[in-house]
Every structure is written in structure tokens, then in C-alpha cells.
């Protein structure tokens, strides 16, 4: 049987281990979609995303549409004939035309145990809430924000010494491992599909610099978690 044809969509460092894991596992990654090059760093020089750098190093075709709903982007996707689209921290919502394109669906890796901490910043939210454990989830994507049916989950412990940076790295590696297992299950036709309980959902909105301001009315433990949640970026301040 031929390996699954996969289109990978991702942008930041968090997604790089997942892309590498697919290549190491022998899946046929036929194209990589990532956000357009943008100015970064102190010099504000235009730079490739971490996923683009990894894709180019592996000799993979790279696509950088401004919007996935544009006709050119959809046409490029169709030409790649993916069996599955894998999304890891891509940075754009997938429109219905894209969600319906691959016969085996669109699969997302999310850095929480859904339905807890849907949204853009689940890592920071879990630490700020004082959680001692979190995890990663693979799910079938739908039109909502992290609302699709769960495929697999893997728990990851949050140690007292962890901050958003170290937990990011732990979850990035765990997500890559879970993604490979998920695709093996899909390939074999044995992937589970568990609807989320929306009544249990919590949300983790995108982190803004203002969120890191210290509220000295909080207790010592809350302040400790606050500092950890916003390290290394944007850094707690007062």
C-alpha cells in the first residue's frame, strides 16, 4: 500500500518536530503550507518561518498563500491530491472548501487536553491556571475553533520548574509522536472519533503583552504561576 499523501500546514517552531516526525516515519509529504515571510527580530529583517526553513532543508515544495480561501491556494492544494491535511499551529482557519478536500479529512495537533483550553495560547493558560498536567490532542478539524472530534490524546506533566518555554518544547515533542500514531490509525482505518463536550470547554485567547502585567493583589502561588506562564515571552512586568 502506498504511504499517505500528506499536505502539512504549520508556521512556528512548535510545528517543526511534527513535520520532521512525518518524514522520519516515511509518510509522503507532498507539500508544505506556511505563513508568508514577515519581518522578525531586532533588525526587523524579512525571515522564513521555522517550518519553511525545515521544509526547504528537506527539499519539500513550499506554498505561502496570504489566505487559504483564495482560488490560487485551493487550486494548489487540489493539484497536490492529499489524502490528509495535517495542521499544526498554522495561523489561519481552514475554509470549508479546504476542510472538505482531502478524503481522509484534516487533522490538527493542539497543545491541550481538549475541550480544555481551546484557542491560541493553551500552554500559557494552563500554567497561569496552576495546572499540574496538560497534554496534546489530535482531532478531526471542523469549521469551529478547536471544536472537532477527538482522535487521540496524550498527557504531559507540568513540573514546578516548567515555564511556557519548557512546556512548549515538551508538548511539541509529544504532539509529534501522537501525530504519527494518529496517522497510522487513520491509515489502518482504526482511528477513534470522540465528539467534544462543549459544556466542558474553556478558552485560551492569544497572548498580548498587556496580559503579562503583574497584579500584586494576587497571592504568592498565583504570582508564581503568572511569571512562569509569560516566560520567555512577553515576560511578566510591573
Amino acid at each position: 500500500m502506498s504511504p499517505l499523501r500528506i499536505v502539512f500546514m504549520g508556521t512556528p517552531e512548535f510545528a517543526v518536530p511534527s513535520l520532521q516526525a512525518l518524514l522520519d516515519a516515511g509518510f509522503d509529504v507532498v507539500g508544505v503550507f506556511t505563513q508568508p515571510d514577515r519581518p522578525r527580530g531586532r533588525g526587523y529583517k524579512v525571515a522564513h518561518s521555522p517550518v519553511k526553513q525545515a521544509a526547504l532543508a528537506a527539499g519539500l515544495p513550499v506554498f505561502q498563500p496570504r489566505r487559504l480561501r483564495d482560488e490560487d491556494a485551493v487550486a494548489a492544494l487540489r493539484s497536490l491530491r492529499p489524502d490528509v491535511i495535517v495542521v499544526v499551529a498554522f495561523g489561519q482557519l481552514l475554509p470549508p472548501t479546504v476542510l472538505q478536500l482531502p478524503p481522509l479529512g484534516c487533522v490538527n495537533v493542539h497543545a491541550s487536553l481538549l475541550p480544555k483550553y481551546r484557542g491560541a495560547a493553551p500552554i500559557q493558560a494552563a500554567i497561569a491556571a496552576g495546572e499540574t498536567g496538560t497534554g496534546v490532542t489530535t482531532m478531526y478539524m471542523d469549521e469551529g475553533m478547536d471544536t472537532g472530534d477527538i482522535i487521540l490524546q496524550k498527557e504531559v506533566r507540568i513540573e514546578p520548574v516548567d515555564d511556557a518555554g519548557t512546556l512548549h518544547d515538551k508538548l511539541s515533542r509529544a504532539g509529534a509522536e501522537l501525530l504519527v500514531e494518529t496517522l497510522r490509525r487513520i491509515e489502518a482505518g482504526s482511528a477513534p472519533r470522540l465528539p467534544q463536550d462543549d459544556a466542558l470547554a474553556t478558552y485560551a485567547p492569544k497572548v498580548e503583552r498587556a496580559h503579562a502585567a503583574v497584579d500584586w493583589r494576587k497571592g504568592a502561588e498565583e504570582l508564581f504561576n503568572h511569571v512562569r506562564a509569560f516566560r520567555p515571552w512577553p515576560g511578566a512586568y510591573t
Side-chain angles (χ1 to χ4, degrees):
M1 187 171 67
S2 300
L4 291 179
R5 292 176 61 85
I6 295 171
V7 164
F8 185 88
M9 296 184 177
T11 300
E13 193 65 43
F14 183 86
V16 172
S18 287
L19 175 58
Q20 191 59 53
L22 296 183
L23 297 173
D24 292 345
F27 289 107
D28 186 10
V29 180
V30 295
V32 173
F33 281 64
T34 190
Q35 294 282 61
D37 296 345
R38 291 192 171 95
R40 304 170 195 272
R42 287 188 175 182
Y44 222 55
K45 293 181 179 178
V46 174
H48 300 334
S49 73
V51 163
K52 181 177 179 179
Q53 293 176 40
L56 292 175
L60 300 172
V62 174
F63 303 84
Q64 296 180 275
R66 293 196 177 277
R67 300 191 317 159
L68 274 180
R69 52 182 76 245
D70 290 346
E71 287 184 15
D72 289 350
V74 176
L77 271 172
R78 284 205 179 96
S79 71
L80 294 170
R81 297 179 291 106
D83 298 309
V84 180
I85 293 175
V86 169
V87 180
V88 187
F90 176 49
Q92 293 187 40
L93 288 175
L94 273 57
T97 49
V98 173
L99 290 170
Q100 296 160 11
L101 196 151
L104 297 178
C106 298
V107 172
N108 178 241
V109 177
H110 185 74
S112 78
L113 297 175
L114 292 169
K116 291 185 77 172
Y117 304 121
R118 294 172 177 173
I123 296 171
Q124 292 89 342
I127 294 175
E131 302 277 11
T132 57
T134 183
V136 285
T137 300
T138 52
M139 65 175 169
Y140 288 109
M141 298 178 72
D142 58 19
E143 292 183 48
M145 173 69 77
D146 303 323
T147 55
D149 293 346
I150 292 168
I151 307 171
L152 298 175
Q153 294 186 311
K154 181 175 184 177
E155 295 184 5
V156 173
R157 179 167 171 75
I158 302 176
E159 303 290 349
V161 295
D162 277 323
D163 58 23
T166 61
L167 186 57
H168 167 283
D169 294 348
K170 282 186 185 179
L171 292 171
S172 179
R173 293 190 295 268
E177 294 170 6
L178 195 67
L179 175 60
V180 170
E181 183 182 352
T182 296
L183 292 173
R184 293 283 186 231
R185 297 271 200 104
I186 290 173
E187 203 170 29
S190 61
R193 189 165 195 146
L194 178 68
Q196 294 188 43
D197 184 348
D198 291 339
L200 300 177
T202 57
Y203 291 87
K206 181 181 177 181
V207 171
E208 305 289 350
R209 195 175 294 276
H211 295 160
V214 174
D215 180 356
W216 292 107
R217 294 168 296 183
K218 293 181 176 179
E221 188 172 348
E222 285 181 282
L223 291 171
F224 175 62
N225 293 335
H226 179 89
V227 171
R228 294 161 63 219
F230 297 109
R231 189 170 62 211
W233 191 91
Y237 67 92
T238 185

